[in-house]
């Protein structure tokens, strides 16, 4: 604990963190880049709606409970998210074949189209940004990709 500062306000770096300045810089850059990419998304959907839609697209039809678990939100929250996506025609709900008390949500053709378009816009934005770099910078970035991907290993 730092003198004059309550323990709740003290940030102690874990002993295993080799370079807190690198971690802070990476966090800042990744957050800013993610914010830029969200601004270049196709639709006027909130990040929560986009996340739920992409999860359904990636993992296929699922129950609302499964979606809530994957999105780490409460069942009432996921119900509201799905209702908003359904109202826009991006997902549809069906009765679960084995348990008629449950609903299964699946992405619609319009939902797939929106996700594809959003990805294209984000990629185009990154292409524009990459074109500002010289060849050596692009090579360093390309070499860093496997390292960045390794940071995501073991992520649920």
């Amino acid at each position: 604990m730092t003198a004059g500062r309550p323990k709740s306000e003290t940030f102690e770096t874990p002993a295993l963190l080799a370079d807190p300045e690198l971690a802070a810089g990476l966090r800042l850059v990744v957050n800013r880049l993610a914010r830029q990419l969200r601004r270049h998304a196709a639709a006027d959907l909130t990040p929560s709606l986009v996340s739920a839609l992409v999860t359904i697209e990636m993992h296929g039809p699922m129950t609302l409970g499964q979606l809530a678990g994957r999105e780490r939100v409460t069942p009432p929250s996921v119900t509201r998210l799905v209702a908003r996506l359904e109202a826009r025609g991006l997902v549809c709900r069906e009765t679960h074949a084995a348990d008629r008390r449950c609903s299964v949500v699946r992405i619609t053709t319009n939902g797939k189209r929106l996700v594809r378009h959003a990805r294209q816009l984000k990629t185009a934005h990154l292409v524009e940004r990459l074109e500002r770099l010289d060849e050596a910078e692009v090579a360093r970035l390309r070499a860093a990709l496997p390292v960045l991907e390794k940071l995501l290993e073991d992520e649920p």
Side-chain angles (χ1 to χ4, degrees):
M1 180 161 74
T2 306
R5 184 186 271 182
K7 185 172 179 146
S8 63
E9 292 182 22
T10 302
F11 174 76
E12 295 180 20
T13 304
L16 296 177
L17 187 59
D19 191 340
E21 289 178 17
L22 174 62
L26 181 60
R27 177 188 46 78
L28 183 63
V29 167
V30 168
N31 284 336
R32 285 181 174 170
L33 184 58
R35 197 174 316 123
Q36 273 187 6
L37 291 175
R38 278 193 302 269
R39 282 195 311 261
H40 287 85
D44 58 341
L45 299 178
T46 66
S48 297
L49 290 171
V50 171
S51 179
L53 185 62
V54 168
T55 296
I56 297 164
E57 188 235 4
M58 287 177 56
H59 299 284
M62 64 184 70
T63 66
L64 296 180
Q66 290 168 327
L67 181 58
R70 286 194 180 273
E71 291 296 299
R72 295 188 171 117
V73 297
T74 64
S77 293
V78 87
T79 299
R80 287 189 297 273
L81 287 172
V82 168
R84 291 173 65 192
L85 291 170
E86 192 175 27
R88 292 172 179 245
L90 303 174
V91 300
C92 61
R93 275 192 253 205
E94 303 165 350
T95 302
H96 192 286
D99 185 352
R100 302 198 54 80
R101 297 170 295 170
C102 292
S103 292
V104 174
V105 62
R106 75 174 64 244
I107 192 166
T108 64
T109 302
N110 285 340
K112 289 178 185 177
R113 191 176 300 124
L114 184 135
V115 169
R116 185 174 50 251
H117 184 61
R119 286 181 179 141
Q120 289 169 343
L121 289 174
K122 291 175 184 184
T123 298
H125 173 71
L126 282 175
V127 166
E128 288 177 17
R129 305 301 292 198
L130 290 169
E131 287 173 344
R132 299 178 186 183
L133 304 177
D134 63 35
E135 287 183 35
E137 290 170 325
V138 171
R140 286 196 309 268
L141 189 55
R142 188 180 310 280
L145 281 178
V147 176
L148 293 170
E149 288 172 353
K150 192 170 183 176
L151 292 175
L152 296 173
E153 287 178 5
D154 301 326
E155 183 67 20

